[in-house]
Amino acid sequence: MNGLILDAGPLIATYAPDDHHHVRCAKLLNDWRGPVFLPEAVLVETCGFVRNAVRNGPAYEARLLCPSPGFDYSSPP
């Protein structure tokens, strides 16, 4: 099974309802069943943007840092 390597753009779009790509990115992450790889720099960039530029940003940042049960950020091999 292939893994999904996240970048900040699609991840930010997932947490920004007004983003042009929000629906597509949220659906991809919701439907993805394989491992997800999240580089540390992407996590830092995403948290900073979401916290400061998205309505309800701190709540979304908490969801990003504490994903729902069953969702596991894996370390790249």
Side-chain angles (χ1 to χ4, degrees):
M1 176 177 285
N2 292 328
L4 179 66
I5 300 173
L6 291 176
D7 190 27
L11 192 54
I12 289 169
T14 299
Y15 288 92
D18 294 335
D19 189 283
H20 179 72
H21 300 286
H22 170 74
V23 172
R24 187 169 59 178
C25 291
K27 180 172 176 17
L28 172 68
L29 281 179
N30 188 54
D31 294 347
W32 186 260
R33 296 295 174 242
V36 175
F37 303 114
L38 182 63
E40 185 176 343
V42 171
L43 179 62
V44 171
E45 181 181 355
T46 303
C47 284
F49 183 87
V50 168
R51 180 184 330 111
N52 296 312
V54 175
R55 186 176 197 173
N56 298 322
Y60 286 132
E61 181 183 17
R63 283 180 47 198
L64 175 65
L65 293 173
C66 300
S68 61
F71 190 86
D72 179 33
Y73 293 124
S74 299
S75 299

